[in-house]
Amino acid sequence: MNKFWIIVSNTYMTKLKTKSFIISTLIIGLIVFALGNMQNIIDFFNKQDKATTIAVIDETEELFEPFKAQLDVFSEELTVEKYSGTEEEATLKVEEEDYTGFIILSYNEANLPQGTFKAMSITDNDVNTKLEQALQQLKTTIATSQIGLEPSQVEKLYEPVFFEKIALAEDAKTEEELMQARGIVYVLLFFIYISVIMYASMIATEVATEKTSRVMEIIISSVSPVTQMFGKILGIALLSLTQLAAILAIGYFSLSSNVDNIQNSGGVLEFFGFANIPASTIIYGFVFFILGYLLYSTLAAVLGSLVSRIEDVQQMIMPMTLLIVAAFMIAMFGLGVPEAPFITVTSYIPFFTPMIMFLRVGMLNLPWWEITLSITLLVGTIVALALFGAKVYRGGVLMYGKSSSFKDIKKALQLTKK
């Protein structure tokens, strides 16, 4: 057991001190900090820009004022000015950056408003949408007036229909609970996906790196393959938790200090609607994250032992990466239909279980035996893969030269018998 902890501490400390780990943590931390302060950054640059001003050529001499009134409802930043010059003169003004663009208002054959917006570039979807919304609302107002509808009748016409969804099953979740569950499951699925795919690859690379140092023969002669393999897995796991804890801390404090009224809303979790999430959902998320990590890390260690060059690692673990991607894509589909038979079946397939069963646990009220069965199958698969992987690992680390085929597993098993 002493040798196991030596391997764990050595793996952890060695990777912790590497420049790549420190730089990657700093870069990700800066990205998270920037995302948490995104609104402040946007506001800063917006202050540096000129105000967005649109010239209005009103060919009807009637639409400018009501159009301006409607636009004020949709946007406070976007301003319009009545322009009495010609279209050619307005074009010159836009080219000289006096105006962001100009819109020509006129009547169509039905005597309803229409508009043509011109600018140097029409890529600013926000401006385009607000101008269109204001014009659409103005058209609706004039059209309803033409057919003799009173404002109260128009309001009743556009009043949203009352539509309530009620689950008949006693243990079914309400619509509000489903929305909250869908949000936290979505976040944790991304967390599981990114963590597993990144750190499992790190384990495979770590094993391949040690093989290039040609010291594997000494290591496996003094430490059992199982001890060595799981020592590396646990070492990388602790490293990943260290990095994730640092990133999450940066994200939390960044959001806490920048989300408007966050003190009054009760904190970051409540602000995003996660305050009422059951503790069991968080616990299951942690359990399936650990089990998924162990499953794919064990597989990654085995695959990493079959290659002798770091350049071959990504090619060897590509099938494993595709499995993780497939599980994630199925889980994304399942967010909309968690009770679909396809989702139910795949949740019991061990390589998909960490994401898809967690999705079902978070979105549905499942009987205890379904959760227990999936976890049992997942743990059984991890144990079986660990036992088989230890044999492949022992022989694989002794294989040198070009190796990028799964046929090398047979060679590794033969070396184990010698």
Side-chain angles (χ1 to χ4, degrees):
M1 199 63 184
N2 186 44
K3 294 179 180 179
F4 173 79
W5 290 112
I6 291 175
I7 294 174
V8 171
S9 61
N10 180 69
T11 302
Y12 176 77
M13 295 305 298
T14 300
K15 300 294 290 185
L16 184 66
K17 296 176 181 178
T18 58
K19 291 183 179 179
S20 59
F21 176 80
I22 296 172
I23 293 173
S24 64
T25 303
L26 289 175
I27 291 175
I28 297 173
L30 287 173
I31 293 173
V32 171
F33 180 79
L35 291 175
N37 290 272
M38 185 57 68
Q39 189 57 51
N40 290 341
I41 296 173
I42 293 174
D43 292 342
F44 173 78
F45 283 104
N46 283 344
K47 291 177 182 178
Q48 310 302 316
D49 295 337
K50 295 181 180 179
T52 303
T53 305
I54 306 297
V56 179
I57 300 177
D58 184 8
E59 296 181 346
T60 68
E61 297 297 335
E62 298 174 347
L63 295 177
F64 174 74
E65 289 300 333
F67 175 73
K68 183 178 183 299
Q70 293 293 345
L71 186 61
D72 289 341
V73 175
F74 291 104
S75 174
E76 295 180 357
E77 297 82 15
L78 187 61
T79 59
V80 291
E81 292 181 3
K82 190 172 182 179
Y83 188 74
S84 57
T86 64
E87 184 177 336
E88 290 74 16
E89 291 172 340
T91 301
L92 290 174
K93 290 288 185 180
V94 173
E95 291 175 351
E96 293 170 358
E97 298 185 353
D98 292 335
Y99 295 111
T100 303
F102 66 92
I103 183 171
I104 304 171
L105 299 180
S106 60
Y107 285 126
N108 61 15
E109 296 177 355
N111 203 32
L112 292 173
Q114 63 182 11
T116 303
F117 177 63
K118 297 184 179 183
M120 297 303 295
S121 172
I122 55 173
T123 56
D124 192 338
N125 193 54
D126 184 54
V127 172
N128 302 337
T129 301
K130 288 174 180 176
L131 289 173
E132 185 178 358
Q133 287 175 336
L135 191 60
Q136 179 64 44
Q137 189 62 37
L138 178 59
K139 178 185 175 182
T140 301
T141 302
I142 294 176
T144 53
S145 176
Q146 288 178 353
I147 60 178
L149 291 178
E150 297 293 332
S152 60
Q153 293 174 312
V154 176
E155 184 178 348
K156 184 175 293 187
L157 180 65
Y158 286 99
E159 182 179 317
V161 65
F162 176 78
F163 184 73
E164 185 179 7
K165 292 177 281 185
I166 300 175
L168 295 177
E170 293 182 1
D171 60 346
K173 294 186 176 182
T174 65
E175 184 178 4
E176 183 181 358
E177 290 174 336
L178 281 175
M179 289 299 295
Q180 290 180 340
R182 186 175 283 111
I184 192 67
V185 168
Y186 186 79
V187 171
L188 291 181
L189 279 176
F190 262 104
F191 181 76
I192 293 172
Y193 169 72
I194 295 173
S195 301
V196 170
I197 204 169
M198 182 166 62
Y199 296 113
S201 175
M202 188 182 294
I203 290 174
T205 304
E206 174 71 11
V207 174
T209 301
E210 283 198 356
K211 285 183 67 175
T212 60
S213 65
R214 314 287 287 190
V215 297
M216 274 295 181
E217 297 91 337
I218 301 174
I219 296 176
I220 64 171
S221 64
S222 57
V223 182
S224 69
V226 176
T227 300
Q228 184 185 355
M229 185 171 65
F230 278 98
K232 289 190 174 299
I233 291 173
L234 182 57
I236 299 296
L238 294 175
L239 184 75
S240 65
L241 291 176
T242 302
Q243 189 175 53
L244 290 173
I247 294 170
L248 289 175
I250 293 172
Y252 180 84
F253 288 113
S254 178
L255 288 173
S256 297
S257 59
N258 288 284
V259 175
D260 292 337
N261 300 321
I262 196 123
Q263 292 80 11
N264 298 328
S265 68
V268 172
L269 292 178
E270 187 170 334
F271 180 85
F272 287 104
F274 296 158
N276 297 323
I277 294 296
S280 59
T281 302
I282 306 297
I283 294 172
Y284 279 124
F286 180 76
V287 169
F288 282 112
F289 166 71
I290 295 298
L291 293 177
Y293 176 84
L294 289 174
L295 177 70
Y296 284 106
S297 296
T298 304
L299 182 59
V302 173
L303 297 177
S305 68
L306 296 176
V307 300
S308 340
R309 300 185 307 167
I310 299 176
E311 295 84 357
D312 297 330
V313 171
Q314 294 303 319
Q315 180 181 352
M316 181 61 77
I317 66 173
M318 180 60 70
M320 181 193 74
T321 303
L322 293 178
L323 272 178
I324 302 173
V325 172
F328 181 74
M329 296 304 294
I330 294 172
M332 289 295 101
F333 169 77
L335 281 173
V337 282
E339 294 182 299
F342 175 66
I343 298 299
T344 303
V345 171
T346 51
S347 67
Y348 293 104
I349 300 175
F351 288 101
F352 297 155
T353 296
M355 292 188 191
I356 301 177
M357 182 53 77
F358 170 64
L359 161 73
R360 294 184 65 216
V361 169
M363 298 288 294
L364 307 171
N365 288 318
L366 298 180
W368 65 269
W369 65 266
E370 289 194 31
I371 303 173
T372 303
L373 176 60
S374 67
I375 291 178
T376 301
L377 290 173
L378 183 55
V379 171
T381 303
I382 294 172
V383 173
L385 186 61
L387 294 175
F388 175 76
K391 294 181 180 180
V392 176
Y393 186 92
R394 183 177 181 85
V397 293
L398 296 175
M399 294 170 55
Y400 294 96
K402 188 176 181 180
S403 176
S404 59
S405 171
F406 286 96
K407 293 180 181 179
D408 294 321
I409 293 178
K410 183 177 179 180
K411 296 179 183 178
L413 292 174
Q414 291 174 344
L415 283 173
T416 303
K417 298 176 182 179
K418 294 181 180 180

